[in-house]
């Protein structure tokens, strides 16, 4: 799988407490303004680099007024994972809602991760992608036959 570095918001970032992604995506730095989730479904792809050692991990797609994702935060989508749902190598797609509100200065999007319980750590890589471009590797399943 190829990941566009311009759409990546964190690269093997270790989350040990509530934290936002190291980077954000600016939706308004060009003319015309970027519109996401108005056509093809978009969202964030997540790759688990180091398995979650926390009890749960809350991942939120957020929108903010600043590139550091610290002011005027609006949560666009969220999902809570159990540590068993985040083994190393796991790929997860979190969709953006259709037509999210990009009002006024809320021009930056990224993720916020909250590991809780246990050792409370997880390491993730996250990037903005279209749902159709997000490919999950095929899984092998046992067949009900033998070769002799």
């Amino acid at each position: 799988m190829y990941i566009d570095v311009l759409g990546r918001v964190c690269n093997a970032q270790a989350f040990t407490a509530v934290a936002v992604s190291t980077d954000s995506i600016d939706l308004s730095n060009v003319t015309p303004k970027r519109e996401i989730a108005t056509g093809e479904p978009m969202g964030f792809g997540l790759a688990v680099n180091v398995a979650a050692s926390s009890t749960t991990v809350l991942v939120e797609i957020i929108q903010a007024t600043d590139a550091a994702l610290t002011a005027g935060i609006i949560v666009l989508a969220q999902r809570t994972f159990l540590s068993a749902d985040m083994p190393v190598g796991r790929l997860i797609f979190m969709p953006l809602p259709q037509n999210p509100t990009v009002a006024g200065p809320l021009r930056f999007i990224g993720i916020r991760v909250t590991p809780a319980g246990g050792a409370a750590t997880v390491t993730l890589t996250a990037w903005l992608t279209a749902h159709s471009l997000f490919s999950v590797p095929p899984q092998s399943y046992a067949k009900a036959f033998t070769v002799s």
Side-chain angles (χ1 to χ4, degrees):
M1 174 185 324
Y2 295 100
I3 299 174
D4 181 355
V5 72
L6 298 176
R8 190 177 62 204
V9 294
C10 61
N11 185 21
Q13 180 178 350
F15 294 93
T16 58
V18 179
V20 295
S21 52
T22 52
D23 295 309
S24 61
I25 297 172
D26 187 348
L27 300 177
S28 299
N29 69 347
V30 295
T31 301
K33 305 299 184 227
R34 293 182 173 111
E35 291 185 34
I36 57 170
T38 56
E40 183 175 359
M42 299 284 290
F44 279 92
L46 305 171
V48 180
N49 300 100
V50 177
S53 59
S54 55
T55 305
T56 61
V57 178
L58 172 65
V59 179
E60 299 169 298
I61 299 174
I62 60 172
Q63 195 170 14
T65 57
D66 64 334
L69 301 172
T70 58
I73 294 173
I74 292 177
V75 177
L76 299 175
Q78 65 181 10
R79 187 168 165 196
T80 300
F81 298 92
L82 298 173
S83 62
D85 296 333
M86 299 189 94
V88 69
R90 173 85 190 268
L91 294 175
I92 301 164
F93 182 78
M94 286 191 59
L96 276 167
Q98 287 292 103
N99 300 316
T101 303
V102 184
L106 293 175
R107 60 186 254 189
F108 299 93
I109 63 170
I111 65 168
R112 177 169 57 191
V113 178
T114 308
T121 63
V122 65
T123 301
L124 300 173
T125 296
W127 65 98
L128 183 66
T129 186
H131 186 265
S132 63
L133 297 176
F134 186 81
S135 60
V136 177
Q139 294 182 345
S140 297
Y141 294 98
K143 302 280 190 248
F145 63 88
T146 59
V147 178
S148 52

